[in-house]
Amino acid sequence: MTERYVLDLQEVDETQVAVVGGKGAHLGGLSRIEGIRVPAGLCVTTDAFRRIMAEAPWLDDRLDQLSRLNPDDREAIRTLSAQIRRTVEGIAIPDDLTAAITRALARLGEQAAYAVRSSATAEDLPTASFAGQQDTYLNVVGPTAILQHVSRCWASLFTERAVTYRQRNRIDHRTVHMAVVVQRMVFPHASGILFTADPVTGNRKVATVDAGFGLGEALVSGLVNPDVFKVRQGEVVAKAIAAKQRAVHALPTGGTREVAIDSRRQEQPALTDAQVVRLVQLGRRIEAHFGRPQDIEWCLVDDGFQIVQSRPITTLFPVPETGDQENHVYVSVGHQQMMTDPMKPLGLSMWQLTAMVAMHAAGGRLFVDVTRRLASSASRAGLLDVMGRGDPLVRDALETVLDRDDFVPSLPGAGPGGPPTGGASATIETDPAIVTELIERSQVSIAALERDIRTKTGPALFEFLLEAFEEHKRVLSDPLSMQAITAGMEATWWLNDTLQEWLGEKNAADTLTLSAPDNVTSEMGLALLDVADVIRPHSEVVAFLQGVEDDGFLDELAKLEGGTEARDAIQAYLDRYGMRCVGEIDITRPRWRERPTTLVPVLLDNVRNFEPGAAERRFEQGRQKAQQKEQDVLSRLRALPDGDRKAGEAKRMIDRVRTFIGYREYPKYGIVSRYFVYKQALLEEAERLVQAGVLHEKEDIFYLAFQELHDVVRSNQVDDRLIQQRKDDFRSYHALTPPRVLTSDGEAVTGAYRRDDVPAGALIGLPVSAGTIEGRARVILDIAEADLEAGDILVTTFTDPSWSPLFVAVAGLVTEVGGLMTHGAVIAREYGLPAVVGVERATRLIRDGQRIRVHGTDGYVEILP
C-alpha cells in the first residue's frame, strides 16, 4: 500500500487513530456531525512520522535506553529525551513529504494563519486522555514556518512529561506515533472548555462551561480564571463570573501575545446564558456521537460556535448499566468489604454469584442498589441506621441524595427491608457452645467441598461449582450464624450507648472486647508471633529470610541449621491461614500459599521487635485488661441509683459481647477458605486450556467472567481480543476512585462528618478503638513492603483480615476506609490499638515518617510539628 502522508480532515473519522492520531481522528469525526462546525484543516499522517524516524536509524538505540529508565529518574529522562527531540527536529523533511504538505496547504490557502497541533496515536483515548502531553502552536503563518512547527510536533512526542506519562502508564514508546493536525486559525471573541458531565461530581446531567475572552490558551495555561456556568436540562442553574484581566490574542505577523482587557469589560460574562445553553446543546450532540461524556474545546466566532477539539473525560467513574431510565442510588460494596481496589472480571463475577444480594459492576467495583429500600419509609430508617453505624459518610451521602427533590420516589407502605436492626438476636442464648457448633458446621462443609471437587473437571466442574455456590450461600445465610453476628454487634452498641449514658464513658466496649475468644483473625496475627519464636534462635535462617525473593524458598530452608523447624512452622501457618491475602474478596488475588514471600517482611519485623512468648503475653494482658474493665464498670454502676439492675444488665451484655464478637470474623474466613478451593480447581482447568493451546497463560482466566470461562471450557475457544481489552480496562480502573455512594446520573456523593468539635487542621474520621497514641506514621500501601518499629502508627487505605499480622507490631491505626464493625476496627479493639478509620485521603495528607497523634476515642488525627 502506498503511504499517504497528508489527508484532509474531512477524509478521516474516529476509526483512524492509527493513521492521524487521537486528536486528528476526533476532529475528523466531529466534522461529520450535523450542525457541528470544525475549522478546515489537514492531517500529516503517522506514515510521515515513521518516514522521518527511519531517516535516523540510531534513534532505535536511544528508545531502548529510554524504555529501561525508571519513571522516577527525572534527570536521566530529561537528558535523554532532550537528545531525542534535538535529533528529530534536526532531520530534514524529505522533498516528496514537503511537497505533499505544501500542496495540501495551497488548497486551504497557504498564506492563511494555522494552528499546528500534535496528534499522537495514544491520546484522547477512553482510558487515557494524555491531555497536555504534546505540543500545539497557534497562529503559524507561511509554509516554511508550518513545516518547521510540524517537526516540532513530531519531536514533542519525546518531551520529558510525555515520556514520563507513557512510562507510568506502561505504554511502549515504540508503539506510539505522531501525526500532526494543521488547522485554519479562528480568531474568537470568546473561547473555553465544555465538559458534558460535571468533572467534579461526575453528574452526567450537569454540563460545565468554562469561558474567557480571546484564545483558549489563556484558560488552558492558567493565565486567567474563567467564567464558570453549570447547565442542567437546558437551563443555567449556576454561574460564577470571574474578573478576566488578560486574554491571549493572535498577532498579524504570526504567534500570539497576552493583552490586558479593558477594566469595563473584565467582569462582563464571556457568554450570554442563551449562548451557554446553545453550546451545551451542541455538546450533547457530540457526546451522543462518541457515546461517552466529552471534554470539548470551543471558540465563539461571529455568534457561531466552532469546535476545535473533543476528547473523552477519562476521570469519571462509570455508572452501572440497568437498561432502564429510572433513578438509582448505589452503595459501594468495596467500602464495606475493605477492598476499594478494582477487581478482575472473574473476581467480580464470583463475588456476585456467592453474595446474598444482587450486585452491580462498574469501574471494576461492585455496588448494591438501595433505591427501593430508601424509597420505602418502612425500610429507610433501618437502612440509614445500619449504614450510619458502619460508616457515617455513607449515611450522610444517602441523606444528601434523599434531600434532593424527587430523586428517590416515595413508595407507600412496607418495602423490601434489609436485615432487621433489632430483635434478630432475641431468640439466641449467650452460650459459647453455639459458636463452637457454628465453626464445626463451617469446617465440615468446607471439608466436603474439598473432597467432592477433586474428581471434577471440564464442564462438570462448572456444574458442580454452581451447586457449591448455593451451599456457600446457605452457610452464609444460616439463621443461627446471622443471630450470633447480630448478637455481638448489638451488645457492642448497647454497651457503648448505655455506658456513655450511665457513666459518661465513651466507647467502653473497646476495652471490654480485648482478647475476646474465637476470633480467627486476631489469632492469625498472634500465631505469626509464634512462628517468629521458632525462627528467632537460628541466625542462619534469619539471614536467609532477609534475602528471600523467590516463592520457592521453603524448600531451601531445610538445608540450613534450624531450617526444618522454621519451614514446618511457616508451613503449618500457611495450612491454617494461607488462603488469605490483601484484597481477598477478589478470587484472582495471589494468596499467601501461592506467594509466601508476602509474609516474610512481617515475620522478620516480629523477629526483630518482639521477645519470645509475646503472643501468649499479648493475649493474656488483653484478657486481664478486659476483666479489670468489667469489674470497674460493674462496681461504678452498682454505686448508681438502681445500680444492681444496671450492673446486672451490663454484666449480661458484657458476657454476650465476649461470647459472640469474636465469631464475627469467622464467616469471612469461611468464604475465603472456599474461594481458595474454587480457585485451585479453576487454575487446574486453566492449565489444561494452556496445554491445549486455547489460552496463552493460566492467569488469562482472571479476565473472563465465570460464565464466559464456562463457555471457553465447553468450546475450547477464546476471544484473545476480549482478554486484551479486559486487561486494558483493568489497568485504567486503577486510576478511578470509587465513590461510597453513586447515583444513576453518575454523581459521586462523598458525604461529610459535619463535626465542629475537633481542633483546627485535624483530620476527621470515625472513632473505632479507644485511646490516644502519638508516634511515627508509617504510610504502607503494600503489606509486602512493611518495615515497622515498635511504636509506629500504621496509615493505609484499607485493611482487611490479611493485615492483622501487622497489627501486633504497631501502636495505632489510621485508614481511609472503614466502619465501626469492619475487620480493621474489630481487630484494633481486640489488640487495644487506638484507631481512627474513614479518614479521607489519609495516605496523601499524612507523609511517611511524620509524627502524628491518633485520638481513637474522639475520632480525629493531628499531624504534629
Side-chain angles (χ1 to χ4, degrees):
M1 186 181 108
T2 322
E3 284 89 354
R4 289 201 66 187
Y5 293 136
V6 180
L7 292 171
D8 192 278
L9 260 185
Q10 300 281 343
E11 293 180 78
V12 301
D13 63 25
E14 57 269 29
T15 64
Q16 292 167 274
V17 172
V19 180
V20 294
K23 191 177 284 117
H26 273 77
L27 283 167
L30 280 167
S31 66
R32 291 162 178 248
I33 304 172
E34 189 179 343
I36 302 299
R37 292 167 59 200
V38 176
L42 57 90
C43 296
V44 181
T45 67
T46 52
D47 282 341
F49 174 77
R50 276 188 283 268
R51 171 81 185 275
I52 289 295
M53 296 295 279
E55 298 281 321
W58 63 90
L59 277 171
D60 272 356
D61 289 340
R62 297 280 170 83
L63 291 178
D64 280 343
Q65 284 176 263
L66 199 59
S67 61
R68 287 195 293 269
L69 293 178
N70 185 315
D72 295 321
D73 190 349
R74 295 181 61 179
E75 191 54 47
I77 288 175
R78 185 178 300 127
T79 304
L80 190 51
S81 61
Q83 289 174 6
I84 294 170
R85 280 199 311 281
R86 280 197 297 273
T87 301
V88 173
E89 281 193 52
I91 296 169
I93 301 177
D95 291 346
D96 57 335
L97 182 46
T98 298
I101 295 170
T102 50
R103 274 198 307 273
L105 281 172
R107 288 196 300 273
L108 287 170
E110 62 181 33
Q111 288 310 313
Y114 290 87
V116 183
R117 314 172 73 191
S118 308
S119 180
T121 54
E123 70 176 16
D124 294 355
L125 305 178
T127 54
S129 74
F130 284 72
Q133 296 308 311
Q134 276 87 43
D135 289 348
T136 285
Y137 301 96
L138 299 178
N139 203 31
V140 182
V141 179
T144 305
I146 287 168
L147 287 166
Q148 183 185 22
H149 285 86
V150 167
S151 284
R152 287 186 184 171
C153 283
W154 287 329
S156 78
L157 193 62
F158 304 104
T159 61
E160 182 189 346
R161 65 181 184 272
V163 166
T164 305
Y165 189 97
R166 287 196 295 275
Q167 286 186 252
R168 290 197 191 286
N169 283 275
R170 297 180 186 165
I171 294 169
D172 183 349
H173 301 300
R174 295 171 182 285
T175 63
V176 184
H177 299 111
M178 180 66 84
V180 182
V181 175
V182 181
Q183 208 173 1
R184 285 287 293 258
M185 271 293 290
V186 291
F187 301 102
H189 162 73
S191 58
I193 300 163
L194 158 63
F195 297 96
T196 64
D198 190 315
V200 177
T201 68
N203 194 322
R204 307 311 199 260
K205 291 187 176 173
V206 174
T208 301
V209 175
D210 290 2
F213 293 122
L215 293 167
E217 204 62 16
L219 299 191
V220 174
S221 65
L223 181 65
V224 297
N225 291 325
D227 297 339
V228 180
F229 302 84
K230 291 192 182 295
V231 177
R232 185 185 180 104
Q233 293 174 333
E235 184 184 344
V236 175
V237 292
K239 61 182 168 184
I241 306 305
K244 300 168 288 296
Q245 295 173 340
R246 306 191 74 71
V248 173
H249 284 182
L251 292 168
T253 53
T256 61
R257 69 183 175 98
E258 290 176 30
V259 295
I261 295 175
D262 184 294
S263 59
R264 288 166 296 183
R265 286 185 64 218
Q266 286 180 5
E267 298 197 19
Q268 283 180 4
L271 296 177
T272 66
D273 284 10
Q275 288 171 328
V276 170
V277 169
R278 184 150 42 97
L279 175 61
V280 169
Q281 286 169 346
L282 296 176
R284 292 286 177 224
R285 204 175 290 178
I286 294 167
E287 178 183 68
H289 175 84
F290 289 118
R292 60 177 63 231
Q294 298 286 302
D295 160 358
I296 298 165
E297 291 180 27
W298 55 269
C299 295
L300 178 66
V301 186
D302 301 328
D303 201 40
F305 288 103
Q306 297 208 30
I307 305 301
V308 294
Q309 189 161 330
S310 185
R311 61 167 74 93
I313 307 175
T314 57
T315 54
L316 299 175
F317 199 88
V319 182
E321 292 178 15
T322 57
D324 64 38
Q325 298 301 309
E326 303 295 315
N327 288 346
H328 294 269
V329 182
Y330 302 97
V331 171
S332 162
V333 172
H335 285 81
Q336 293 164 12
Q337 290 294 336
M338 298 302 94
M339 214 295 271
T340 53
D341 290 349
M343 296 166 71
K344 295 189 178 89
L346 186 63
L348 287 168
S349 64
M350 293 285 276
W351 193 260
Q352 287 172 306
L353 285 164
T354 53
M356 303 307 298
V357 293
M359 293 185 177
H360 306 266
R365 279 78 168 190
L366 289 169
F367 295 85
V368 172
D369 188 340
V370 296
T371 318
R372 288 190 64 79
R373 288 173 66 189
L374 282 178
S376 164
S377 56
S379 55
R380 184 185 309 134
L383 175 70
L384 291 173
D385 184 52
V386 168
M387 291 293 171
R389 286 187 182 275
D391 185 342
L393 293 177
V394 173
R395 176 178 183 139
D396 187 76
L398 290 174
E399 287 176 334
T400 301
V401 175
L402 284 168
D403 288 342
R404 305 266 164 83
D405 292 342
D406 302 328
F407 189 84
V408 178
S410 285
L411 294 178
T421 54
S425 57
T427 57
I428 192 173
E429 296 296 319
T430 301
D431 181 0
I434 292 171
V435 173
T436 307
E437 181 192 340
L438 285 167
I439 290 172
E440 282 175 3
R441 280 190 205 174
S442 178
Q443 288 171 338
V444 166
S445 178
I446 291 167
L449 171 67
E450 288 174 326
R451 181 187 68 239
D452 296 343
I453 204 170
R454 284 186 194 128
T455 57
K456 306 294 189 292
T457 61
L461 169 65
F462 288 81
E463 299 302 331
F464 171 81
L465 282 172
L466 288 171
E467 291 173 20
F469 297 162
E470 292 310 307
E471 167 67 3
H472 181 125
K473 289 195 275 192
R474 188 196 65 73
V475 172
L476 267 186
S477 60
D478 180 338
L480 189 63
S481 177
M482 304 285 277
Q483 287 174 324
I485 292 168
T486 306
M489 291 197 299
E490 288 188 341
T492 303
W493 297 336
W494 188 94
L495 285 166
N496 279 339
D497 294 347
T498 309
L499 294 181
Q500 179 157 9
E501 182 189 335
W502 288 348
L503 297 175
E505 184 162 338
K506 288 183 181 177
N507 303 345
D510 294 1
T511 309
L512 293 166
T513 52
L514 287 171
S515 298
D518 299 311
N519 188 320
V520 68
T521 307
S522 61
E523 287 166 6
M524 178 172 72
L526 295 174
L528 203 62
L529 289 175
D530 290 335
V531 178
D533 286 354
V534 175
I535 289 167
R536 194 178 290 105
H538 305 292
S539 56
E540 206 178 333
V541 171
V542 174
F544 170 77
L545 289 175
Q546 284 166 342
V548 157
E549 290 180 4
D550 189 287
D551 283 312
F553 72 91
L554 287 173
D555 297 333
E556 299 294 312
L557 271 177
K559 300 172 187 172
L560 308 173
E561 187 185 335
T564 305
E565 298 98 297
R567 182 198 62 197
D568 291 350
I570 295 170
Q571 192 59 60
Y573 185 87
L574 291 173
D575 289 345
R576 175 114 168 88
Y577 304 111
M579 76 295 288
R580 309 219 84 147
C581 67
V582 173
E584 61 194 8
I585 70 169
D586 182 352
I587 198 172
T588 71
R589 289 286 191 108
R591 311 282 138 177
W592 291 343
R593 284 258 291 274
E594 297 168 311
R595 198 173 286 173
T597 48
T598 307
L599 287 173
V600 171
V602 190
L603 196 47
L604 289 169
D605 282 348
N606 287 352
V607 167
R608 187 176 72 246
N609 293 333
F610 291 93
E611 297 294 320
E616 193 176 338
R617 277 197 307 279
R618 286 286 296 266
F619 188 81
E620 184 54 28
Q621 284 165 0
R623 199 183 63 77
Q624 287 181 13
K625 272 188 193 170
Q627 211 168 24
Q628 289 160 6
K629 184 69 173 177
E630 177 181 332
Q631 290 166 359
D632 171 58
V633 163
L634 295 179
S635 66
R636 285 160 63 199
L637 286 174
R638 287 191 194 102
L640 297 176
D642 199 18
D644 285 346
R645 178 188 65 78
K646 288 175 177 169
E649 282 187 47
K651 172 63 175 161
R652 279 194 298 280
M653 285 298 180
I654 291 168
D655 289 347
R656 198 165 179 75
V657 83
R658 289 194 67 78
T659 298
F660 293 117
I661 200 66
Y663 175 72
R664 174 168 166 67
E665 293 292 299
Y666 202 86
K668 184 78 169 277
Y669 176 77
I671 291 170
V672 177
S673 298
R674 287 174 190 281
Y675 262 31
F676 192 52
V677 179
Y678 306 152
K679 182 179 188 180
Q680 287 173 303
L682 289 171
L683 282 174
E684 285 174 21
E685 205 57 45
E687 184 59 49
R688 280 189 281 278
L689 291 168
V690 171
Q691 297 299 329
V694 178
L695 292 178
H696 296 297
E697 54 188 20
K698 284 194 302 185
E699 286 74 17
D700 282 350
I701 68 167
F702 297 161
Y703 297 94
L704 297 169
F706 180 83
Q707 189 56 54
E708 292 170 337
L709 180 54
H710 190 178
D711 294 340
V712 169
V713 168
R714 270 199 297 250
S715 66
N716 265 350
Q717 290 181 309
V718 72
D719 182 348
D720 288 330
R721 287 170 309 175
L722 176 67
I723 288 176
Q724 188 54 52
Q725 180 63 51
R726 295 274 176 80
K727 288 179 178 179
D728 293 343
D729 291 345
F730 180 69
R731 271 198 297 274
S732 74
Y733 292 152
H734 279 279
L736 300 174
T737 302
R740 282 175 164 83
V741 171
L742 179 68
T743 73
S744 47
D745 285 354
E747 184 177 3
V749 191
T750 52
Y753 285 107
R754 308 191 192 283
R755 289 176 55 188
D756 55 11
D757 58 344
V758 297
L763 308 181
I764 301 174
L766 182 64
V768 295
S769 186
T772 302
I773 193 73
E774 192 175 303
R776 179 179 70 155
R778 292 312 318 269
V779 179
I780 297 175
L781 302 179
D782 181 349
I783 192 172
E785 294 173 6
D787 179 15
L788 296 164
E789 301 288 346
D792 283 350
I793 296 167
L794 173 62
V795 180
T796 189
T797 45
F798 58 80
T799 62
D800 57 13
S802 69
W803 285 77
S804 61
L806 285 190
F807 283 25
V808 298
V810 297
L813 173 70
V814 179
T815 67
E816 295 181 348
V817 176
L820 193 61
M821 299 309 292
T822 47
H823 303 278
V826 171
I827 306 307
R829 290 194 290 272
E830 283 266 327
Y831 289 166
L833 302 178
V836 180
V837 301
V839 180
E840 292 277 84
R841 299 172 58 237
T843 59
R844 281 167 281 181
L845 296 172
I846 299 170
R847 289 197 312 277
D848 187 52
Q850 274 186 317
R851 288 194 67 76
I852 61 173
R853 189 181 296 128
V854 178
H855 295 262
T857 307
D858 294 313
Y860 64 93
V861 180
E862 289 179 282
I863 299 174
L864 303 175

